[in-house]
Amino acid sequence: MIGIARAHTNIALIKYWGKRDKKLFLPMNSSLSLTLDAFYTDTKVTFDQTLTKDTFFLNNKEETTEKITPFLDLFREKMSSPCFAKVESLNFVPTAAGLASSASAFAALAGAINQASSLHLDTQTLSTFARRGSGSATRSLYGGFVEWNKGTDSHNSMAIPIDDASWDIAMIIIVVNQAKKTISSRDGMALTVQTSPFYQAWVESAEKDLQNIKQAIANKDFITLGEITEFNGMKMHGTMLGSNPPFCYFEPETIIAQQAIRQLRAEGIPAYMTMDAGPNVKVLCQTSTIPTILSHLETLFSKDKLIISKVGKAMHYLTQDDWEQSLQSFEDTL
């Protein structure tokens, strides 16, 4: 029983920051993201009755199954003949650098398990499983603009497709630092929820931002979309500065990037920034303005630090030939 799936990462425009249930990964607030085509994970799952334990290979290196086995168990509980699995994953995303690698990783894993197990879960139901691996993985099962409805319980905290974003939408990622973060998203999130006096205001404000940005998307109003995106992202980082002890993911080049985006707007170019839990800056823009934005950013950053991404597709299944091509592509990058 084999399943192979590809899922793209996503960048939250309305952020998820804080859990109300750490075991079930139920968020404090609903969120909304844009799926990107530049970053993705391919995962192959093989269930085999002859195996005596689960194994996990990430980028051709064997890793611990500490997180993989409990995730597999969620599906095995529903399988008629559960057995151990070999999981192979190729991650075409810089890991743990604020580029949401866990989102594509667990969305692809959920898809591959769904196919290999023959459970045939529909996408929204599958999103409730993906959520148990990584909250943001919920949204990576769909393309374009996707809402993660916080729901009332584990069964309805799920992804909802909003719009395919096929209206001149793009993103430029300014890679300030690809190194592993000193403070993980989970640790930073927990500290913020527990200690920041700004946190409750953040939750209330984020819910209002969500309703406003959905209206902007419905109207295809890029300016309002960008303004809400930047407002929401900077508020999230503000709550971190209010934590005890305070912490911040910004680095010197992060500030330079932020100033560059503000300068572009001052010159009449609609570009808006957002950041996840990491130093890298994501620039929400229109495809038609990419050459102008790049010409400005290239005076400050080397070309290898600027990655253009258009809108990503929903999670989809791959053939064995596709998998072999991915293996070759990964090896070519080494």
Side-chain angles (χ1 to χ4, degrees):
M1 298 184 290
I2 297 175
I4 311 172
R6 172 175 294 174
H8 292 263
T9 191
N10 70 79
I11 298 299
L13 308 185
I14 302 300
K15 303 298 186 184
Y16 141 60
W17 193 248
K19 302 182 184 77
R20 67 181 190 272
D21 188 313
K22 294 180 180 179
K23 181 179 180 181
L24 297 176
F25 283 34
L26 299 180
M28 293 289 247
N29 62 281
S30 298
S31 57
L32 183 141
S33 65
L34 177 66
T35 303
L36 303 180
D37 72 346
F39 309 109
Y40 60 92
T41 302
D42 289 347
T43 297
K44 180 179 180 179
V45 172
T46 305
F47 284 110
D48 188 339
Q49 295 286 352
T50 67
L51 295 176
T52 57
K53 65 176 182 176
D54 293 324
T55 55
F56 173 46
F57 295 84
L58 175 61
N59 299 338
N60 294 327
K61 295 180 180 179
E62 187 165 8
E63 303 282 352
T64 175
T65 61
E66 180 182 4
K67 295 180 180 179
I68 300 299
T69 290
F71 192 74
L72 285 162
D73 288 342
L74 297 174
F75 294 82
R76 280 191 283 239
E77 290 172 1
K78 294 185 173 293
M79 292 172 61
S80 58
S81 300
C83 55
F84 291 111
K86 178 182 179 181
V87 176
E88 302 165 85
S89 192
L90 299 172
N91 200 27
F92 295 87
V93 188
T95 303
L99 288 171
S101 59
S102 63
S104 58
F106 277 99
L109 178 58
I113 297 172
N114 192 38
Q115 184 181 52
S117 64
S118 299
L119 288 174
H120 306 301
L121 302 174
D122 65 83
T123 305
Q124 283 198 325
T125 301
L126 188 61
S127 76
T128 68
F129 282 72
R131 189 198 71 237
R132 300 284 294 275
S134 170
S136 55
T138 306
R139 301 183 303 247
S140 276
L141 288 171
Y142 290 102
F145 293 114
V146 186
E147 178 183 354
W148 173 12
N149 178 18
K150 68 178 181 180
T152 58
D153 57 34
S154 189
H155 298 292
N156 60 22
S157 182
M158 60 175 56
I160 302 171
I162 298 298
D163 184 275
D164 64 8
S166 60
W167 37 285
D168 201 26
I169 301 293
M171 188 166 276
I172 299 172
I173 295 87
I174 305 173
V175 183
V176 170
N177 191 338
Q178 293 191 50
K180 188 172 182 178
K181 297 175 290 191
T182 55
I183 303 173
S184 71
S185 298
R186 292 185 184 183
D187 290 344
M189 194 179 291
L191 181 62
T192 305
V193 174
Q194 293 165 8
T195 67
S196 177
F198 307 145
Y199 187 72
Q200 189 54 43
W202 147 259
V203 172
E204 295 170 2
S205 179
E207 293 290 0
K208 294 178 183 177
D209 292 343
L210 176 65
Q211 296 309 312
N212 291 337
I213 204 168
K214 286 167 68 175
Q215 187 59 57
I217 291 170
N219 295 339
K220 293 182 169 51
D221 180 351
F222 179 78
I223 301 300
T224 302
L225 170 70
E227 290 174 347
I228 297 169
T229 294
E230 186 165 314
F231 179 46
N232 183 267
M234 292 302 101
K235 276 188 297 184
M236 182 186 78
H237 284 270
T239 65
M240 301 176 197
L241 290 171
S243 300
N244 188 16
F247 68 98
C248 182
Y249 290 106
F250 294 6
E251 295 183 7
E253 283 193 317
T254 303
I255 304 299
I256 292 172
Q258 292 176 346
Q259 292 172 333
I261 301 311
R262 296 187 185 101
Q263 181 61 39
L264 280 165
R265 286 207 301 272
E267 295 173 3
I269 305 300
Y272 301 88
M273 70 184 111
T274 189
M275 295 175 59
D276 288 331
N280 304 311
V281 178
K282 293 85 175 181
V283 185
L284 183 67
C285 62
Q286 295 167 303
T287 307
S288 54
T289 63
I290 287 175
T292 302
I293 295 172
L294 283 180
S295 66
H296 181 78
L297 293 178
E298 286 172 0
T299 65
L300 301 167
F301 301 94
S302 58
K303 290 185 178 181
D304 63 313
K305 289 191 173 184
L306 303 172
I307 303 173
I308 300 169
S309 182
K310 296 183 180 178
V311 178
K313 299 189 294 186
M315 182 278 295
H316 53 284
Y317 297 108
L318 304 178
T319 65
Q320 181 61 34
D321 285 344
D322 294 330
W323 175 255
E324 295 296 336
Q325 289 177 16
S326 286
L327 280 171
Q328 186 60 55
S329 295
F330 183 80
E331 290 173 1
D332 288 345
T333 64
L334 298 178

